[in-house]
Amino acid sequence: MSFAPVVSATGLRRTFGAQRAVDGVDLALGAGECLALFGPNGAGKTTLLRLLAGLARPTAGHARIGDVALPEAAARARVGLISHKTMLYEALTARENVRFAADLHGLADPTHATAAVLEALAVAGRADVPVRALSRGMRQRVAVARAVVHAPDVILCDEPYTGLDEVGAAALTALLRARQAAGAALVLVTHHLQEGLALATQVAVMRGGRFVHTAPGRAVDPATFAATYRSLVA
Protein backbone atom coordinates (compact mmCIF):
# COMPACT_ATOMS: atom_id res chain seq x y z
CA MET A 1 0.00 0.00 0.00
CA SER A 2 1.44 3.38 -0.99
CA PHE A 3 1.79 6.20 1.52
CA ALA A 4 -0.32 9.23 0.64
CA PRO A 5 0.75 12.25 2.71
CA VAL A 6 -1.90 14.67 3.90
CA VAL A 7 0.73 17.42 4.18
CA SER A 8 4.21 17.36 2.68
CA ALA A 9 7.16 19.62 1.97
CA THR A 10 10.25 19.15 -0.14
CA GLY A 11 13.32 21.37 0.04
CA LEU A 12 11.26 24.11 1.66
CA ARG A 13 13.21 27.32 2.12
CA ARG A 14 12.30 30.85 3.12
CA THR A 15 14.86 33.64 3.28
CA PHE A 16 14.67 37.20 4.57
CA GLY A 17 17.63 38.97 3.03
CA ALA A 18 20.68 36.96 4.04
CA GLN A 19 18.81 35.11 6.79
CA ARG A 20 17.51 31.62 6.05
CA ALA A 21 14.52 31.30 8.38
CA VAL A 22 13.63 27.91 6.86
CA ASP A 23 16.50 26.14 5.18
CA GLY A 24 15.65 23.04 3.16
CA VAL A 25 12.96 21.31 5.23
CA ASP A 26 11.46 18.00 4.10
CA LEU A 27 8.46 16.42 5.81
CA ALA A 28 5.52 14.14 5.13
CA LEU A 29 2.60 13.36 7.40
CA GLY A 30 -0.17 10.90 6.71
CA ALA A 31 -3.70 10.75 8.10
CA GLY A 32 -3.73 10.75 11.88
CA GLU A 33 -0.05 11.59 12.26
CA CYS A 34 1.36 14.35 14.44
CA LEU A 35 4.75 16.00 14.14
CA ALA A 36 5.83 17.55 17.44
CA LEU A 37 8.29 20.28 16.56
CA PHE A 38 10.66 21.67 19.17
CA GLY A 39 13.35 24.31 18.98
CA PRO A 40 14.64 27.53 20.52
CA ASN A 41 13.25 30.97 19.73
CA GLY A 42 14.27 32.03 16.24
CA ALA A 43 14.68 28.48 14.97
CA GLY A 44 12.21 29.04 12.12
CA LYS A 45 9.26 27.09 13.52
CA THR A 46 6.62 29.80 13.08
CA THR A 47 7.86 30.61 9.57
CA LEU A 48 7.57 26.92 8.67
CA LEU A 49 3.97 26.86 9.88
CA ARG A 50 3.17 29.96 7.85
CA LEU A 51 4.56 28.25 4.76
CA LEU A 52 2.49 25.12 5.44
CA ALA A 53 -0.60 27.28 5.96
CA GLY A 54 -0.09 29.05 2.65
CA LEU A 55 0.34 32.41 4.39
CA ALA A 56 3.88 32.86 3.05
CA ARG A 57 5.49 31.84 -0.21
CA PRO A 58 8.69 29.78 -0.14
CA THR A 59 11.89 31.13 -1.60
CA ALA A 60 12.58 27.61 -2.86
CA GLY A 61 11.02 24.17 -2.62
CA HIS A 62 7.33 23.44 -2.34
CA ALA A 63 4.62 22.27 0.04
CA ARG A 64 1.37 20.44 -0.66
CA ILE A 65 -1.86 19.62 1.10
CA GLY A 66 -2.80 16.27 -0.36
CA ASP A 67 -2.19 16.64 -4.09
CA VAL A 68 -2.79 20.41 -4.16
CA ALA A 69 0.18 22.78 -4.09
CA LEU A 70 0.35 25.62 -1.60
CA PRO A 71 -0.50 28.46 -1.56
CA GLU A 72 -3.46 27.63 -3.82
CA ALA A 73 -6.80 28.48 -2.20
CA ALA A 74 -8.03 24.89 -2.42
CA ALA A 75 -5.06 23.80 -0.31
CA ARG A 76 -5.35 26.64 2.20
CA ALA A 77 -9.02 25.81 2.77
CA ARG A 78 -8.01 22.39 4.13
CA VAL A 79 -5.75 23.89 6.82
CA GLY A 80 -6.49 25.22 10.30
CA LEU A 81 -3.87 27.38 12.02
CA ILE A 82 -3.92 27.75 15.80
CA SER A 83 -1.59 30.45 17.09
CA HIS A 84 -0.81 31.97 20.48
CA LYS A 85 -1.94 35.24 18.85
CA THR A 86 -5.74 35.03 18.79
CA MET A 87 -6.43 37.70 16.13
CA LEU A 88 -10.15 37.70 17.00
CA TYR A 89 -12.68 40.44 16.26
CA GLU A 90 -13.03 41.88 19.75
CA ALA A 91 -16.36 43.63 19.15
CA LEU A 92 -17.96 40.34 18.08
CA THR A 93 -19.04 37.60 20.44
CA ALA A 94 -17.27 34.27 20.65
CA ARG A 95 -20.09 32.67 18.66
CA GLU A 96 -19.99 35.37 15.99
CA ASN A 97 -16.24 34.99 15.53
CA VAL A 98 -16.51 31.25 15.01
CA ARG A 99 -19.68 31.48 12.90
CA PHE A 100 -17.94 34.00 10.63
CA ALA A 101 -15.21 31.42 9.94
CA ALA A 102 -17.80 28.70 9.37
CA ASP A 103 -19.57 30.89 6.82
CA LEU A 104 -16.30 31.72 5.05
CA HIS A 105 -15.64 28.00 4.62
CA GLY A 106 -19.13 27.45 3.19
CA LEU A 107 -20.19 24.82 5.71
CA ALA A 108 -23.54 23.17 5.06
CA ASP A 109 -24.72 23.75 8.64
CA PRO A 110 -22.60 26.55 10.11
CA THR A 111 -24.89 27.00 13.11
CA HIS A 112 -24.46 23.41 14.26
CA ALA A 113 -20.73 23.34 13.50
CA THR A 114 -20.21 26.54 15.52
CA ALA A 115 -22.19 25.29 18.49
CA ALA A 116 -20.46 21.90 18.48
CA VAL A 117 -16.91 23.26 18.49
CA LEU A 118 -17.70 25.85 21.17
CA GLU A 119 -19.15 23.07 23.31
CA ALA A 120 -16.08 20.88 22.75
CA LEU A 121 -13.82 23.66 24.00
CA ALA A 122 -16.03 24.49 27.00
CA VAL A 123 -16.91 27.94 25.67
CA ALA A 124 -20.67 27.40 25.25
CA GLY A 125 -21.48 29.20 28.51
CA ARG A 126 -19.66 32.34 27.30
CA ALA A 127 -20.49 32.06 23.62
CA ASP A 128 -22.57 35.23 23.45
CA VAL A 129 -20.14 37.45 25.34
CA PRO A 130 -18.08 39.96 23.30
CA VAL A 131 -14.52 38.76 22.94
CA ARG A 132 -13.16 41.95 24.50
CA ALA A 133 -14.83 40.92 27.77
CA LEU A 134 -13.30 37.43 27.86
CA SER A 135 -10.19 36.34 29.74
CA ARG A 136 -6.96 35.60 27.86
CA GLY A 137 -7.48 31.87 28.23
CA MET A 138 -11.08 32.00 27.04
CA ARG A 139 -10.03 34.04 24.02
CA GLN A 140 -7.52 31.33 23.19
CA ARG A 141 -10.25 28.70 23.30
CA VAL A 142 -12.35 30.80 20.90
CA ALA A 143 -9.37 31.15 18.55
CA VAL A 144 -8.93 27.37 18.56
CA ALA A 145 -12.62 26.88 17.82
CA ARG A 146 -12.43 29.28 14.90
CA ALA A 147 -9.39 27.47 13.48
CA VAL A 148 -10.99 24.02 13.49
CA VAL A 149 -14.71 24.71 12.93
CA HIS A 150 -14.39 23.50 9.32
CA ALA A 151 -12.79 20.16 10.39
CA PRO A 152 -9.55 20.79 8.48
CA ASP A 153 -7.42 17.97 7.14
CA VAL A 154 -4.29 19.65 8.54
CA ILE A 155 -4.05 21.46 11.88
CA LEU A 156 -1.00 23.63 12.49
CA CYS A 157 -0.46 24.59 16.12
CA ASP A 158 1.92 27.36 17.17
CA GLU A 159 2.16 27.29 20.98
CA PRO A 160 -1.59 26.58 21.20
CA TYR A 161 -1.61 26.01 24.98
CA THR A 162 -0.55 29.61 25.72
CA GLY A 163 -2.87 31.17 28.29
CA LEU A 164 -5.00 28.07 28.81
CA ASP A 165 -5.92 26.87 32.28
CA GLU A 166 -6.18 23.17 33.16
CA VAL A 167 -9.73 22.87 31.81
CA GLY A 168 -8.87 24.65 28.58
CA ALA A 169 -5.69 22.65 28.06
CA ALA A 170 -7.55 19.37 28.60
CA ALA A 171 -10.28 20.44 26.15
CA LEU A 172 -7.67 21.35 23.53
CA THR A 173 -5.83 18.04 23.92
CA ALA A 174 -9.11 16.12 23.65
CA LEU A 175 -10.08 18.04 20.52
CA LEU A 176 -6.68 17.46 18.88
CA ARG A 177 -6.86 13.74 19.71
CA ALA A 178 -10.35 13.56 18.21
CA ARG A 179 -9.26 15.29 15.02
CA GLN A 180 -6.19 13.05 14.85
CA ALA A 181 -8.40 9.97 15.22
CA ALA A 182 -10.62 11.31 12.43
CA GLY A 183 -7.61 11.43 10.09
CA ALA A 184 -6.30 14.96 10.43
CA ALA A 185 -2.55 15.51 10.31
CA LEU A 186 -1.11 17.76 13.02
CA VAL A 187 2.03 19.85 13.33
CA LEU A 188 2.45 20.95 16.93
CA VAL A 189 5.04 23.60 17.83
CA THR A 190 5.62 23.86 21.56
CA HIS A 191 8.33 24.50 24.13
CA HIS A 192 6.72 21.96 26.46
CA LEU A 193 8.07 18.49 25.82
CA GLN A 194 5.30 16.60 27.64
CA GLU A 195 2.53 18.31 25.64
CA GLY A 196 4.23 17.62 22.33
CA LEU A 197 5.27 14.05 23.01
CA ALA A 198 1.79 13.08 24.24
CA LEU A 199 0.37 13.47 20.72
CA ALA A 200 3.43 12.85 18.56
CA THR A 201 3.92 10.11 16.00
CA GLN A 202 7.00 11.98 14.76
CA VAL A 203 9.37 14.30 16.60
CA ALA A 204 11.75 16.91 15.21
CA VAL A 205 14.09 19.51 16.66
CA MET A 206 14.60 22.63 14.56
CA ARG A 207 17.55 24.95 14.79
CA GLY A 208 18.81 27.55 12.34
CA GLY A 209 15.96 26.80 9.94
CA ARG A 210 16.76 23.08 9.69
CA PHE A 211 15.64 19.84 11.25
CA VAL A 212 18.71 18.81 13.27
CA HIS A 213 17.07 15.77 14.84
CA THR A 214 14.10 13.55 13.91
CA ALA A 215 12.68 10.42 15.52
CA PRO A 216 9.50 8.33 15.63
CA GLY A 217 7.34 9.82 18.37
CA ARG A 218 6.11 6.56 19.86
CA ALA A 219 9.68 5.42 20.53
CA VAL A 220 10.78 8.58 22.35
CA ASP A 221 11.46 8.41 26.07
CA PRO A 222 10.67 11.87 27.52
CA ALA A 223 13.63 11.94 29.90
CA THR A 224 16.09 10.80 27.26
CA PHE A 225 14.65 13.19 24.69
CA ALA A 226 14.92 16.12 27.12
CA ALA A 227 18.65 15.49 27.42
CA THR A 228 19.01 15.14 23.65
CA TYR A 229 17.10 18.36 23.11
CA ARG A 230 19.26 20.31 25.53
CA SER A 231 22.42 19.07 23.82
CA LEU A 232 21.11 20.11 20.39
CA VAL A 233 20.06 23.64 21.29
CA ALA A 234 22.73 24.54 23.84
Side-chain angles (χ1 to χ4, degrees), residues 169-205:
L172 173 57
T173 297
L175 183 145
L176 292 177
R177 287 191 185 280
R179 293 305 309 147
Q180 195 175 7
L186 315 180
V187 181
L188 173 58
V189 168
T190 179
H191 288 294
H192 300 283
L193 300 184
Q194 289 296 130
E195 289 172 355
L197 294 177
L199 294 165
T201 60
Q202 298 182 33
V203 172
V205 176

Side-chain angles (χ1 to χ4, degrees), residues 15-199:
T15 61
F16 298 96
Q19 179 188 3
R20 292 185 177 185
V22 175
D23 190 11
V25 166
D26 300 324
L27 64 84
L29 294 174
E33 290 198 292
C34 172
L35 171 66
L37 182 58
F38 304 99
N41 293 334
K45 306 183 299 296
T46 295
T47 300
L48 175 60
L49 292 190
R50 287 180 58 80
L51 291 169
L52 296 177
L55 298 177
R57 290 181 178 272
T59 305
H62 63 267
R64 306 179 74 86
I65 305 299
D67 59 356
V68 183
L70 286 163
E72 290 185 21
R76 288 187 280 111
R78 296 171 61 185
V79 177
L81 176 62
I82 303 171
S83 173
H84 57 280
K85 298 179 180 179
T86 61
M87 303 296 288
L88 297 169
Y89 296 105
E90 294 200 350
L92 300 182
T93 66
R95 189 188 310 277
E96 288 168 341
N97 269 277
V98 179
R99 173 60 188 262
F100 182 58
D103 287 338
L104 285 178
H105 284 284
L107 300 187
D109 190 348
T111 300
H112 173 75
T114 297
V117 74
L118 289 171
E119 181 69 31
L121 286 158
V123 184
R126 304 280 283 168
D128 296 309
V129 175
V131 163
R132 62 171 171 260
L134 297 177
S135 67
R136 171 67 180 86
M138 195 61 71
R139 292 184 188 197
Q140 183 67 8
R141 296 193 210 181
V142 177
V144 172
R146 180 190 58 188
V148 302
V149 67
H150 60 301
D153 296 324
V154 177
I155 303 176
L156 308 174
C157 307
D158 191 3
E159 297 292 346
Y161 290 90
T162 299
L164 293 180
D165 59 12
E166 186 175 348
V167 172
L172 173 57
T173 297
L175 183 145
L176 292 177
R177 287 191 185 280
R179 293 305 309 147
Q180 195 175 7
L186 315 180
V187 181
L188 173 58
V189 168
T190 179
H191 288 294
H192 300 283
L193 300 184
Q194 289 296 130
E195 289 172 355
L197 294 177
L199 294 165

